[in-house]
Amino acid sequence: MIINFKLKNDKTEIKLINSNKVFYPTETTRYLLNSTIKKINKNKKLEILDLGCGNGVIGIFLLKKFKKIKRMTFSDISVNATKLTKKNLKLNKINPKKYQIIKSNQFQNLTNKKFDIIINDVSGISSKIAKMTNWFKNVPCNSGIDGTKLTVPILTNSVGHLNNNGFFIFPIISFSNEKKIIKLIKKLKLNCDILSINRWPVPKILYKHLERLKLLKKDKIINFELKYNLIIANTKILLLKQKNK
């Protein structure tokens, strides 16, 4: 099935083939894109990495919007994802000289490659939450009980893959151990800007698990608010840069 994808108040529109074997765009994807497009210098020839590209939505959208991007690297551990990204690039008539696709477990096959911008949309919620929803119905959620199993090594290794003045943009979802991630950022001595905080009511399917959610919150594995009889989670979009020496 082919869908049209766009952002609110943005004229850019792309077409996407979706597959039940590849993680599809979520609201987190939209939050990431909305924050990223505000930080991109449209006059610069940038090297960008779409890490955990899924169906290629983030990188393809940016290539359509910013014509001067030098090259977009799409990377994912899933063969299904890299194949689908290739199809979607062709569907949107993106010049092959403007991109490369690499199958890689995080930065494993990106040795010695550096980028001006790295954008990460790799899953970052507690695997316990994933099992209560259909968010990961046909794809694995390997982010661990506290949702940081993938985020921690990506954060740790991202700095070594950034050019001077480069930056890394990624989401923190409150259905993970936010404090652990923030503590790591401080340990790595990175400048951290919160680009946006996006609050959202959780899907109805989670309400029957409220007591389990409360226990996970008590154990500091996740966080959420109870407000107006709603369970409210949030997604923060962060930008990281090396501190000036």
Side-chain angles (χ1 to χ4, degrees):
M1 182 177 77
I2 296 177
I3 65 167
N4 294 325
F5 177 91
K6 63 182 301 184
L7 300 176
K8 188 177 180 181
N9 300 322
D10 194 296
K11 294 180 180 179
T12 304
E13 185 172 348
I14 63 173
K15 296 183 183 297
L16 294 171
I17 303 169
N18 274 337
S19 165
N20 61 9
K21 294 181 180 179
V22 177
F23 198 67
Y24 50 85
T26 64
E27 282 305 304
T28 296
T29 306
R30 295 179 184 278
Y31 300 148
L32 263 175
L33 274 170
N34 275 315
S35 293
T36 300
I37 61 179
K38 293 173 184 175
K39 304 304 294 187
I40 288 182
N41 184 332
K42 66 180 181 180
N43 296 314
K44 278 193 172 183
K45 294 182 177 181
L46 299 166
E47 289 269 3
I48 302 177
L49 170 63
D50 181 355
L51 183 63
C53 63
N55 63 9
V57 54
I58 289 177
I60 294 171
F61 188 91
L62 294 177
L63 283 168
K64 276 282 188 179
K65 185 171 181 64
F66 299 99
K67 304 301 183 184
K68 288 195 175 182
I69 289 175
K70 183 178 180 181
R71 183 167 58 175
M72 182 72 62
T73 298
F74 296 86
S75 172
D76 203 293
I77 191 173
S78 164
V79 173
N80 290 320
T82 55
K83 286 182 177 178
L84 187 58
T85 293
K86 188 173 184 178
K87 289 180 181 179
N88 282 326
L89 283 158
K90 289 182 177 179
L91 178 64
N92 287 277
K93 299 179 181 179
I94 304 296
N95 185 341
K97 293 180 180 180
K98 301 280 283 186
Y99 66 82
Q100 62 178 339
I101 304 170
I102 299 175
K103 181 185 177 298
S104 180
N105 181 4
Q106 299 181 25
F107 293 103
Q108 193 174 66
N109 295 329
L110 297 167
T111 307
N112 299 324
K113 291 185 180 294
K114 291 196 173 187
F115 306 91
D116 301 300
I117 303 171
I118 299 173
I119 308 161
N120 167 45
D121 195 10
V122 174
S123 57
I125 67 166
S126 166
S127 57
K128 288 185 175 289
I129 300 292
K131 290 175 182 177
M132 298 178 198
T133 71
N134 62 356
W135 293 338
F136 294 82
K137 187 176 180 180
N138 296 299
V139 293
C141 177
N142 299 319
S143 49
I145 291 174
D146 71 353
T148 68
K149 184 178 177 181
L150 301 176
T151 301
V152 166
I154 288 172
L155 275 178
T156 303
N157 293 306
S158 63
V159 175
H161 291 274
L162 286 172
N163 290 322
N164 291 336
N165 298 314
F167 55 86
F168 175 57
I169 296 182
F170 76 107
I172 296 182
I173 302 171
S174 63
F175 277 162
S176 68
N177 190 335
E178 297 177 85
K179 289 185 178 180
K180 181 177 178 180
I181 297 171
I182 296 300
K183 186 177 180 180
L184 175 61
I185 291 170
K186 290 179 179 178
K187 182 180 178 181
L188 294 171
K189 298 180 179 179
L190 299 172
N191 281 327
C192 176
D193 292 329
I194 299 176
L195 301 182
S196 67
I197 301 175
N198 311 276
R199 294 178 174 83
W200 43 275
V202 307
K204 291 181 180 179
I205 194 172
L206 283 175
Y207 282 77
K208 65 181 180 181
H209 300 292
L210 180 56
E211 294 308 313
R212 291 175 65 189
L213 295 179
K214 287 179 178 178
L215 287 174
L216 291 171
K217 181 177 180 179
K218 183 179 178 182
D219 291 339
K220 298 181 181 180
I221 291 174
I222 66 169
N223 195 18
F224 60 88
E225 298 176 87
L226 288 173
K227 204 168 185 179
Y228 310 121
N229 294 319
L230 295 173
I231 305 172
I232 307 292
N234 72 74
T235 301
K236 298 180 181 71
I237 304 301
L238 273 59
L239 183 149
L240 303 183
K241 295 181 73 171
Q242 283 185 292
K243 290 184 178 180
N244 294 326
K245 295 181 180 179

